[in-house]
Amino acid sequence: QVQLVESGGGLVQPGGSLRLSCAASGSIFSISAMGWYRQAPGKQRELVARITSGGSTEYADFAKGRFTISRDNAKNTVYLQMNSLKPDDTNVYYCILLGLSSMTYQYLDVWGQGNLVTVSS
């Protein structure tokens, strides 16, 4: 199985910064893309940012100019640097991986367990 281990969430004051990490392991032949979604209570999950294996990035409007997604291929890890955080950024953030299984050679998508980010004074 493919697993995603998320870390870096927590409590931060408005205007502060956090960096989320997501490390992938398991039966992965190749990774097509990794990214982050978030979901507030009573709301649907929404894309925050994603990055392809080629380095192409995409951001939600609320994340542009504040958040930066990056990757470390050697560690199979993706990072989300979040700056200028606002109370509205308070959410559970989920890492997602899209890749090719080394067992079935079929594409799969895997979700992390979620990581709570709280922006409050």
Side-chain angles (χ1 to χ4, degrees):
Q1 293 183 345
V2 178
Q3 290 184 324
L4 300 177
V5 179
E6 303 178 37
S7 62
L11 175 65
V12 65
Q13 293 184 347
S17 299
L18 285 174
R19 188 176 75 159
L20 304 182
S21 299
C22 177
S25 63
S27 303
I28 308 170
F29 180 76
S30 63
I31 298 173
S32 297
M34 296 183 71
W36 296 88
Y37 285 71
R38 70 182 191 182
Q39 185 173 27
K43 304 293 184 180
Q44 293 186 347
R45 289 187 184 183
E46 60 180 343
L47 174 70
V48 179
R50 60 186 176 188
I51 185 169
T52 69
S53 60
S56 178
T57 59
E58 181 180 355
Y59 296 92
D61 287 341
F62 65 81
K64 293 178 180 177
R66 298 191 299 129
F67 297 178
T68 302
I69 189 169
S70 61
R71 58 182 170 85
D72 185 336
N73 290 336
K75 298 180 179 179
N76 287 334
T77 299
V78 64
Y79 305 94
L80 183 66
Q81 179 67 43
M82 302 186 293
N83 299 326
S84 302
L85 285 164
K86 306 173 182 178
D88 287 347
D89 294 321
T90 296
N91 267 300
V92 177
Y93 287 74
Y94 297 88
C95 180
I96 185 171
L97 177 150
L98 177 65
L100 192 67
S101 171
S102 62
M103 297 182 65
T104 66
Y105 293 97
Q106 294 182 336
Y107 283 101
L108 52 81
D109 59 285
V110 181
W111 293 86
Q113 80 284 353
N115 200 346
L116 177 63
V117 171
T118 302
V119 184
S120 176
S121 59

